[in-house]
Amino acid sequence: MESAITDHAQEPVDFEAMRTLGDVPRYHAQRRPSATALVFEGRESSFAEFDQRTNQAAQALLAEGLGKGDRIAYLGKNSDHYFELLFGALKIGVVMAPIGWRLAPPEVAYIAGDAQARMLFVGPEVIECALQIAPDLPGVKIVAMEPGGSGWPIYEAWRDAQPATDPDLPLGENEVAVQLYTSGTTGRPKGAMLSHLNILGGRRKAADANMDWNRWGPDDISLVAMPVGHIGGTGWGIVGLVNGAKGVVAREFDPFKVLDFIERDQISKMFMVPAALQIVVRQPRVREVDYSRLKFILYGASPIPLDLLRECMEIFGCGFCQQYGMTETCGTIVYLPPEDHDPNGTPRMRAAGLPMPGVELKVVDEAGASLPPHEVGEVAVRSVSNMAGYWRLPEATKATMADDGWLRTGDAGYLDEDGYLFIHDRVKDMIISGAENIYPAEVESAVYGHPDVAEVAVIGVPHDTWGEAVKAIVVAKPGTSPDPDDIIAFARGRIAAFKAPKSIDFIAALPRNASGKILRRELREPYWAGRARRVN
């Protein structure tokens, strides 16, 4: 198939030709029409077909009376049809608000209502949830992504009732494209508004830097396994399509299927969170798979223990690149390049990495003053990828983003003399014990290397003398019965004694949200119950 494609297919992607995301299907349909854009459970779409179907989705939205600035919501697992709908909306200025499918019905209803979604597109796995909340969303038209007896219109029939004519509507790159809701670990989730320029501007600057791990070619195949309700899913899917690569869409992350995808679909690049990587490397046949086509694994969304990273590097034998970012920055703003990943361990392997091209970083104190190297404070970032703001929350936007463009991430860290960023943890998760600031990620990294520890989360619990004491919540490896004192002694051998856990509790599984982040508030609650404040 590749041999039938015009010579343009082998040329570097011209990011300047894609001023808005709606230009992405058009561009690649012209330059490599026969190449595969998306694969999903045996269904394939070429770039020409993808462009046509996004046109039909756009026309269908227009036929429903939607236009520039209107919102639609998607509730479901991953699908190629989601990306069709997304790019169809983007062609006419309709904003997509994907919702995490694991959320409870009240949470889904809140997000759909807050987004003022005119339509809700529902995957088969969440039909019952949608039926439950439908009365709370008067006037919202619901479309089922797949047949399932709901009585709602079916996406393919809804789409195919319209012509494949490009709507060709004028759009500005500063207009909002996607509205992704933050995980909401504290308070109500907020809709981060990401513009076309936010999403594409960073890609242009990264391409100009010509970094090997970020270079895509016509033979690259991407695995889209993270949930599309989060930047790691929607963002990674967009990156592959912008670069003209084949995207293999997994309905959901299934550790037992990731190895099959790598083998069968010859995946060359994928993004995964550390929690997912940990599950994959525990599969019995992980050392039997052929990884020769796998070029790079990008990982991020939470810190990764050094021991796990070493294990992954040894098994997969490919390049690793850490990605640090957040929903409000369209994902990656800092990267740790493959050349800094040393299996023998170096100080830089504990770093989040260097700023992406065009990204400015600084570390500030509570008053906003810049701090010198190695002094821990809050990480602030300024770049073209910083969000347009929070939807209908001007005060929250103002508290996060300064007038001069600097966005406070809420993460605690420091910069070294060479500009490498080291993340300690979320500012709000910091433990203060005997006037010492302790960051859970550092303690977790120390505990993780214990041979009987599968997973660990560290929290602060009340202590009458020291204010707070460090507690480790541990998931033991199957077939082991670890001794708490042994784990504490092990940690003390790796970090200062005042940072090491003072106690260990065991749990069957750590609570996480859909993007893999540990829900520390849920872990802390039993220890702080009955207290007016959650700090001591």
Side-chain angles (χ1 to χ4, degrees):
M1 179 178 289
E2 291 290 343
S3 61
I5 300 173
T6 65
D7 291 341
H8 291 303
Q10 306 301 321
E11 296 174 0
V13 172
D14 181 5
F15 290 95
E16 294 297 329
M18 295 178 279
R19 303 309 300 177
T20 68
L21 286 160
D23 293 331
V24 172
R26 301 180 181 113
Y27 174 86
H28 290 294
Q30 293 174 354
R31 299 178 67 87
R32 46 197 330 254
S34 302
T36 301
L38 295 172
V39 176
F40 176 74
E41 297 182 354
R43 185 168 60 207
E44 293 195 14
S45 303
S46 68
F47 276 103
E49 291 168 332
F50 182 64
D51 185 43
Q52 292 167 2
R53 289 169 186 165
T54 59
N55 287 341
Q56 288 180 291
Q59 295 290 354
L61 290 169
L62 289 172
E64 297 285 356
L66 275 74
K68 187 185 297 185
D70 286 327
R71 264 72 175 162
I72 60 174
Y74 174 88
L75 174 67
K77 297 182 180 180
N78 297 1
S79 167
D80 56 340
H81 285 166
Y82 164 75
F83 287 100
E84 283 180 14
L85 178 63
L86 169 65
F87 277 86
L90 294 172
K91 284 186 171 181
I92 60 171
V94 170
V95 179
M96 169 63 81
I99 303 174
W101 65 269
R102 290 187 177 93
L103 296 180
E107 295 172 302
V108 174
Y110 172 80
I111 292 175
D114 181 76
Q116 299 179 334
R118 296 272 305 276
M119 297 184 70
L120 175 64
F121 295 82
V122 179
E125 50 281 320
V126 287
I127 292 293
E128 290 302 318
C129 174
L131 286 169
Q132 184 175 333
I133 67 171
D136 300 324
L137 302 172
V140 175
K141 181 169 182 175
I142 300 179
V143 174
M145 298 304 291
E146 298 178 20
S150 64
W152 297 318
I154 307 303
Y155 171 76
E156 285 192 351
W158 174 83
R159 178 198 67 193
D160 293 343
Q162 303 299 326
T165 308
D166 193 322
D168 196 26
L169 298 178
L171 295 173
E173 61 182 9
N174 287 312
E175 293 177 36
V176 178
V178 179
Q179 188 163 303
L180 278 167
Y181 278 76
T182 58
S183 55
T185 51
T186 57
R188 291 286 199 177
K190 302 183 291 290
M193 298 183 292
L194 310 179
S195 71
H196 294 264
L197 179 60
N198 290 155
I199 296 170
L200 287 173
R203 304 255 49 92
R204 298 184 191 120
K205 292 183 180 296
D208 290 342
N210 202 27
M211 299 174 289
D212 188 50
W213 64 269
N214 189 57
R215 191 180 301 119
W216 295 74
D219 62 334
D220 272 313
I221 302 173
S222 165
L223 177 63
V224 184
M226 296 292 100
V228 296
H230 298 266
I231 191 65
T234 286
W236 181 249
I238 289 175
V239 166
L241 288 166
V242 169
N243 282 280
K246 177 197 287 188
V248 178
V249 181
R251 188 178 289 267
E252 63 179 312
F253 169 73
D254 184 337
F256 300 101
K257 293 181 180 178
V258 168
L259 298 179
D260 294 333
F261 279 118
I262 292 172
E263 275 189 316
R264 182 185 65 238
D265 296 286
Q266 300 196 330
I267 301 299
S268 61
K269 289 186 178 182
M270 61 184 187
F271 172 83
M272 302 185 81
V273 298
L277 280 169
Q278 179 171 318
I279 298 171
V280 172
V281 298
R282 295 290 177 264
Q283 300 311 306
R285 69 184 196 93
V286 70
R287 295 181 182 274
E288 301 169 7
V289 174
D290 179 6
Y291 300 109
S292 59
R293 277 276 302 163
L294 190 59
K295 298 178 184 176
F296 293 102
I297 292 178
L298 283 62
Y299 65 94
S302 63
I304 189 169
L306 187 56
D307 296 280
L308 173 60
L309 184 57
R310 286 196 187 101
E311 186 177 8
C312 290
M313 292 176 66
E314 188 265 324
I315 289 173
F316 296 116
C318 64
F320 278 76
C321 186
Q322 181 169 206
Q323 311 280 286
Y324 165 75
M326 55 197 300
T327 302
E328 290 87 342
T329 62
C330 299
T332 306
I333 51 173
V334 170
Y335 71 101
L336 186 68
E339 54 267 29
D340 281 330
H341 287 69
D342 186 340
N344 296 317
T346 66
R348 280 187 179 171
M349 285 183 70
R350 293 191 295 272
L354 294 164
M356 288 285 286
V359 171
E360 299 175 80
L361 290 178
K362 65 179 180 179
V363 174
V364 299
D365 61 18
E366 290 185 6
S370 296
L371 295 172
H374 295 282
E375 191 163 336
V376 174
E378 185 174 2
V379 180
V381 57
R382 184 165 62 182
S383 81
V384 70
S385 299
N386 283 4
M387 67 174 180
Y390 291 118
W391 168 245
R392 300 194 306 158
L393 291 172
E395 292 304 316
T397 300
K398 187 176 181 180
T400 302
M401 298 178 66
D403 293 338
D404 58 2
W406 285 98
L407 183 150
R408 297 184 73 140
T409 65
D411 285 332
Y414 68 87
L415 292 165
D416 71 6
E417 296 86 349
D418 299 316
Y420 280 77
L421 176 66
F422 290 74
I423 294 294
H424 277 269
D425 217 311
R426 295 292 296 172
V427 170
K428 67 179 182 292
D429 291 330
M430 184 177 69
I431 301 166
I432 302 178
S433 182
E436 292 283 356
N437 293 346
I438 301 169
Y439 297 91
E442 186 178 8
V443 185
E444 288 163 0
S445 184
V447 172
Y448 180 85
H450 189 282
D452 294 339
V453 173
E455 291 187 287
V456 59
V458 167
I459 59 173
V461 297
H463 191 281
D464 291 339
T465 302
W466 306 114
E468 290 180 273
V470 179
K471 177 180 283 291
I473 311 295
V474 167
V475 177
K477 287 184 179 178
T480 67
S481 299
D483 176 19
D485 292 337
D486 185 55
I487 293 175
I488 293 171
F490 180 87
R492 287 189 173 193
R494 305 181 112 191
I495 55 174
F498 76 84
K499 297 180 181 179
K502 302 302 181 287
S503 61
I504 308 284
D505 282 358
F506 294 93
I507 193 172
L510 295 176
R512 298 178 182 272
N513 67 13
S515 64
K517 292 182 180 178
I518 296 169
L519 299 174
R520 297 186 195 276
R521 184 179 61 170
E522 193 171 310
L523 289 173
R524 283 167 53 90
E525 184 58 31
Y527 304 97
W528 293 86
R531 292 174 178 257
R533 302 174 65 201
R534 292 302 188 263
V535 294
N536 202 30

